[in-house]
Amino acid sequence: MSYRTYQKRTAALAFAAALAGSAVLMAAPAAVADVVDVNYQCKTPIGDKSAVSPIDIKSVKSGSGYKLTMSFQKGVSSSPVELGKGAMNPSAVIKLGGADSGSVAVSGPANSAAIPANTPIKINDLSGTYTPKKTGKVTFTAGVLTIKALGTTTTCTPGNNPKPSLTLDVTAGSGGGTSGSTQSDTDTGSGLPQTGPEDSAIALGTLGGTVLLAGAAGALWLTRRNQAARR
């Protein structure tokens, strides 16, 4: 075999190996995204309404977790009166499936412009953070959408059992825990529930301790004063 023939054969084998490697990578993508039509059944203050919106869920790796962004390509529900700038606040949950379970809470900014009366409400992108608890393929599916506006709450539930909008091949973190915006199916937390920020709870506890100490100091002062009067 001549040296030139050997070079050609080596180059051909290298090219074939590169193609095979590319085929393997293409056959097992780390993420699969799809735009899914979600038929929302909404309970509004003025009655039931329904609307179909294509939902897109994207992910970006962020540290040990993923930042999820849920996009609505069409408006859902409507208001009989105009909603002024900043009057409407949306939030939703993304249901987990596959190797993981639970849900991820996502939220977004209030409307940046006024929404005319009887006009489909366009929802801004909603985002949240997901931290894997399990290793494997995890699916992400649109869940309940909540719209708060003018002191009222509209709840929209998917009525067509939509398929997942995103599938990720994930690896659980070293701690195997969940992020602050990820909710499990069961709540195993011990201790009393909090209805406000931790700072408020701490401040309330500090206030209670201060009142208790002040009461004890007052009782001690009165006792000493009565003893002095008897003398």
Side-chain angles (χ1 to χ4, degrees), residues 131-160:
T131 301
K133 305 187 300 295
K134 302 290 181 62
T135 297
K137 292 187 181 299
V138 178
T139 61
F140 301 81
T141 306
V144 176
L145 167 68
T146 302
I147 302 172
K148 294 185 177 182
L150 303 179
T152 66
T153 300
T154 294
T155 303
C156 300
T157 304
N160 60 332

Side-chain angles (χ1 to χ4, degrees), residues 6-144:
Y6 173 78
Q7 282 184 318
K8 288 182 179 180
R9 180 173 295 182
T10 302
L13 290 174
F15 181 69
L19 287 177
S22 299
V24 170
L25 291 176
M26 291 177 64
V32 176
D34 193 12
V35 178
V36 177
D37 287 340
V38 179
N39 185 3
Y40 280 107
Q41 303 297 314
C42 301
K43 299 289 186 181
T44 80
I46 59 172
D48 295 349
K49 294 181 178 294
S50 64
V52 176
S53 177
I55 301 297
D56 179 30
I57 300 176
K58 289 186 172 63
S59 68
V60 176
K61 191 76 169 69
S62 177
S64 60
Y66 296 83
K67 179 183 178 181
L68 303 179
T69 301
M70 183 179 185
S71 301
F72 295 75
Q73 297 188 6
K74 288 184 179 179
V76 298
S77 190
S78 61
S79 172
V81 297
E82 180 181 290
L83 298 178
K85 178 181 178 181
M88 186 270 295
N89 293 279
S91 62
V93 294
I94 297 174
K95 297 188 299 182
L96 304 178
D100 211 343
S101 62
S103 61
V104 178
V106 291
S107 60
N111 55 306
S112 58
I115 302 174
N118 301 313
T119 301
I121 298 175
K122 178 66 171 69
I123 306 297
N124 291 324
D125 287 354
L126 308 180
S127 61
T129 301
Y130 164 67
T131 301
K133 305 187 300 295
K134 302 290 181 62
T135 297
K137 292 187 181 299
V138 178
T139 61
F140 301 81
T141 306
V144 176

